[in-house]
Amino acid sequence: MSANGGHEKGAGSSPARALAWAGALTAAVYLATFLFYVRGFQGYTRRAREVFIWLAVLPLLYLYWRGYRVVRDSGGGLKTSTVVKFAALFCVLCAAVYPFHSTDVFGYVNRGWQQVHYHMNPYVYTVAEVPGWREDPMIWDHWIYNPNPYGFLFTLLARGLTVLGGGNWALTLAMFKAVNAAAYGLTGWLVWSGAKRLDHGRPLLALYAFLWNPLVLLHHLANGHNDILIGCALALAAYFVVTQRDVWVLPALAAAVMLKYAPVLLVPAALVYVFKRRGWKVTALGCLLAALVVVAAVAPFLADWRQFRLEDIRDNATLIDNSFHSFLIHIYENAARLFKPLAQFHDAVDSGIKAVLRLFFAAFLVVIHWRFLKRSSAARLVELWALVLLVLLCVVSSKFNGWYMGMLLPPALFLHERHWVRRATLLITSAQTLSLTFFKQAYILNYFAMILVPAGIVFRQVKREKEQ
């Protein structure tokens, strides 16, 4: 009996040991990243930074997927606390890392300081129009010629965090990172709790998939991108759906829209869902609460609404970069170098790609919403949200950056672990960690390696499963 008992104890502790080793090695990589960039990135050559990031990213991806298999195959032999404790360590280490890949978070500080110190509306005035901005230690040379592209709620948040920073740049940066860290923890809890409510067989797997994801940790905590806030708001909306707190679904979506505008496409299905489940009274109350969120976010900026630089904001949102559109037009441009007569049709081809993608997306939205109208449920609503965002970000949008996946991953993790949308989202999100390397600027290769290949792997798996 003691022998059997010992065997069972050993078997039960094996997944815990394996995950602990993966966690310890992962923490070591994040610690090395902190130490490498502790004085900033300016002191290294581009080659040195490139070598280091490959030496960091490849082990992180390996350890992440090894840990994923351990959690998946553990058979309930792992404690939630093991995943959470290591995630807390990763969070602290990555939040302490100096932004090394993107300086967008410096732009967030710029927008906040522009409001707090200079009393300038960032939707009307660019940072370059701030008097004496070059001598102001709070302002960095980042997107200084663009009006603010972010939603009103985030711009208001930037103002509040800058007030709390009190004119200390390092403290203000820490405030932005602390908010992201709070969103990271809350999103993890929402994903885990939502998976339990939906009776998923392994809710711990969803928790692990988010909290240990290297893209989330490096892009959103180390580099401070705000997309994790949108992902948190969408996870909150999904949580309200699965817990039948339907009156709060629309306000949560409104908050997401006021952070960044893309989630506005998720509102119609949510409106239909709440109306069909709860009737017009609850729907009206939800709309009222959502309207209050919008008004509270927009009101501080509305006095100058006639001067909003909407065209510049639109142009920034529709830049052609790292997207499917970019993939196609760069293929055409390379072909035009070989066959010179093709060059004269460049603008027509570019416009044609954009038109076809928009027509496809419009048709896609009609079809998917029609299907939803015929049979709606909580699970199908979250599925629609995840699918719409996946197609919008990875196929239709002319502009794509790897950190955008921080918006999509949380709602996708509410789906069943075998759902193809969840699998594709998780694999693409992980692959996008390579955007920290030269892949970010490797046009054609970046979209192929970080979106097409992961999507192809998932579709091949799904096809094979259907044939079995």
Side-chain angles (χ1 to χ4, degrees):
M1 184 174 178
S2 59
N4 289 339
H7 175 73
E8 289 172 3
K9 182 178 179 181
S13 63
S14 181
R17 284 200 302 268
L19 190 65
W21 270 109
L25 292 172
T26 298
V29 177
Y30 289 134
L31 177 60
T33 305
F34 165 74
L35 293 174
F36 187 81
Y37 289 111
V38 71
R39 298 182 184 275
F41 56 84
Q42 297 90 343
Y44 299 102
T45 65
R46 183 172 181 176
R47 179 177 295 179
R49 296 198 303 268
E50 189 67 31
V51 170
F52 175 81
I53 201 61
W54 277 102
L55 292 175
V57 164
L58 292 180
L60 286 173
L61 287 173
Y62 169 75
L63 291 166
Y64 176 64
W65 284 105
R66 182 178 178 183
Y68 187 90
R69 290 193 297 271
V70 169
V71 176
R72 182 192 62 193
D73 300 334
S74 65
L78 287 171
K79 294 181 179 179
T80 303
S81 60
T82 304
V83 172
V84 172
K85 286 176 181 176
F86 274 109
L89 175 59
F90 303 158
C91 179
V92 171
L93 290 172
C94 289
V97 172
Y98 187 89
F100 62 88
H101 178 259
S102 167
T103 54
D104 279 4
V105 68
F106 301 168
Y108 307 160
V109 177
N110 288 354
R111 310 294 182 186
W113 190 243
Q114 186 181 7
Q115 298 173 75
V116 171
H117 190 68
Y118 296 97
H119 309 290
M120 297 173 72
N121 188 329
Y123 296 102
V124 176
Y125 301 100
T126 67
V127 173
E129 293 172 299
V130 172
W133 68 269
R134 293 184 185 278
E135 286 73 45
D136 191 328
M138 286 292 290
I139 296 180
W140 282 65
D141 188 351
H142 176 86
W143 291 104
I144 61 170
Y145 300 110
N146 294 66
N148 181 35
Y150 306 110
F152 297 102
L153 182 58
F154 180 75
T155 307
L156 202 58
L157 175 64
R159 180 193 297 184
L161 295 177
T162 308
V163 168
L164 292 175
N168 183 303
W169 184 84
L171 179 58
T172 306
L173 176 64
M175 292 289 179
F176 279 93
K177 288 206 170 193
V179 168
N180 281 15
Y184 167 79
L186 176 57
T187 305
W189 181 86
L190 291 168
V191 165
W192 173 74
S193 185
K196 289 179 66 178
R197 294 280 189 146
L198 290 166
D199 294 324
H200 289 178
R202 291 176 283 211
L204 184 61
L205 193 61
L207 179 67
Y208 172 90
F210 179 78
L211 289 183
W212 285 45
N213 192 286
L215 179 136
V216 172
L217 287 155
L218 289 175
H219 268 313
H220 300 107
L221 293 180
N223 285 288
H225 288 289
N226 62 6
D227 303 80
I228 194 172
L229 304 181
I230 298 90
C232 183
L234 293 176
L236 183 61
Y239 181 77
F240 287 145
V241 169
V242 302
T243 57
Q244 300 181 17
R245 295 176 171 88
D246 298 319
V247 72
W248 298 105
V249 173
L250 293 172
L253 277 184
V257 173
M258 289 293 99
L259 291 165
K260 273 191 177 180
Y261 305 117
V264 71
L265 295 170
L266 312 183
V267 172
L271 196 60
V272 169
Y273 173 80
V274 175
F275 178 76
K276 290 180 71 173
R277 274 187 54 86
R278 299 295 185 180
W280 71 268
K281 289 184 179 179
V282 172
T283 305
L285 180 56
C287 288
L288 176 61
L289 293 171
L292 290 175
V293 171
V294 172
V295 169
V298 172
F301 307 99
L302 269 188
D304 306 315
W305 70 270
R306 288 187 178 87
Q307 301 174 61
F308 279 16
R309 297 163 74 160
L310 298 178
E311 188 172 337
D312 292 336
I313 294 171
R314 182 203 64 194
D315 290 343
N316 178 58
T318 56
L319 285 173
I320 302 171
D321 189 38
N322 299 312
S323 60
F324 184 51
H325 186 167
S326 173
F327 174 75
L328 294 176
I329 199 62
H330 277 92
I331 290 176
Y332 185 85
E333 288 173 353
N334 283 319
R337 291 189 181 99
L338 297 175
F339 304 99
K340 300 296 184 182
L342 292 177
Q344 62 185 311
F345 303 111
H346 179 277
D347 291 344
V349 171
D350 186 50
S351 298
I353 291 171
K354 187 176 294 185
V356 169
L357 288 175
R358 290 177 178 178
L359 286 172
F360 157 76
F361 192 52
F364 164 79
L365 289 176
V366 169
V367 170
I368 195 172
H369 282 85
W370 176 253
R371 292 176 58 191
F372 180 74
L373 283 172
K374 292 168 67 176
R375 196 179 64 157
S376 60
S377 66
R380 287 178 65 84
L381 178 62
V382 178
E383 177 189 47
L384 181 146
W385 287 353
L387 183 55
V388 167
L389 285 176
L390 179 65
V391 174
L392 172 65
L393 295 178
C394 296
V395 180
V396 177
S397 175
S398 295
K399 183 180 180 182
F400 178 83
N401 286 300
W403 51 85
Y404 292 177
M405 297 304 293
M407 290 187 272
L408 175 53
L409 182 60
L413 290 174
F414 278 77
L415 304 178
H416 190 273
E417 67 185 72
R418 301 304 299 170
H419 197 294
W420 74 267
V421 173
R422 168 170 161 163
R423 290 155 71 179
T425 300
L426 184 56
L427 199 56
I428 291 171
T429 300
S430 302
Q432 286 294 328
T433 309
L434 294 171
S435 64
L436 292 160
T437 72
F438 76 89
F439 274 33
K440 175 70 167 66
Q441 287 79 35
Y443 296 111
I444 301 178
L445 175 61
N446 58 15
Y447 191 86
F448 176 79
M450 296 189 289
I451 294 183
L452 289 183
V453 170
I457 291 171
V458 171
F459 287 130
R460 185 177 179 182
Q461 290 174 344
V462 171
K463 183 181 179 182
R464 190 186 309 126
E465 290 166 4
K466 287 182 178 179
E467 292 171 350
Q468 290 176 352

